[in-house]
Amino acid sequence: MPDSAPQQLLHLVIGGELVDLKGNTFKNLDDVEIVGLYPNYAAAHAAWRAKAQSTVDNAQMRYFIVHLHRLLDPNQEPAR
């Protein structure tokens, strides 16, 4: 892979209905939507925003951005 390739900081966007708005426990794991996998936070945030806005009428629905790059390499320093 070329040295000039941009660093991938993988992010996953998922969502579904929550049991309680005070937590992050999904009502039914079979119904959790995997929106997609994104190469950076900006792309993941755009996808998250679009999904969150499309479900604004359902107060129990929540979408999350999971920082996969932090799980894959926990010793990685955050970009500043």
Side-chain angles (χ1 to χ4, degrees):
M1 197 177 269
D3 289 337
S4 63
Q7 182 182 16
Q8 275 189 347
L9 298 175
L10 296 176
H11 291 78
L12 173 68
V13 179
I14 62 171
E17 284 196 66
L18 299 180
V19 172
D20 181 357
L21 294 179
K22 295 178 183 171
N24 58 4
T25 302
F26 292 107
K27 200 177 275 189
N28 183 348
L29 286 178
D30 291 334
D31 292 336
V32 171
E33 179 182 5
I34 298 173
V35 177
L37 184 63
Y38 301 91
N40 55 54
Y41 182 81
H45 187 263
W48 168 84
R49 181 179 298 278
K51 289 305 288 187
Q53 288 178 344
S54 72
T55 60
V56 71
D57 292 335
N58 183 347
Q60 297 294 111
M61 187 70 78
R62 291 290 189 272
Y63 286 88
F64 301 92
I65 299 174
V66 181
H67 298 264
L68 289 181
H69 62 96
R70 292 181 186 164
L71 297 173
L72 295 171
D73 187 3
N75 295 323
Q76 180 181 20
E77 290 294 320
R80 298 203 186 258

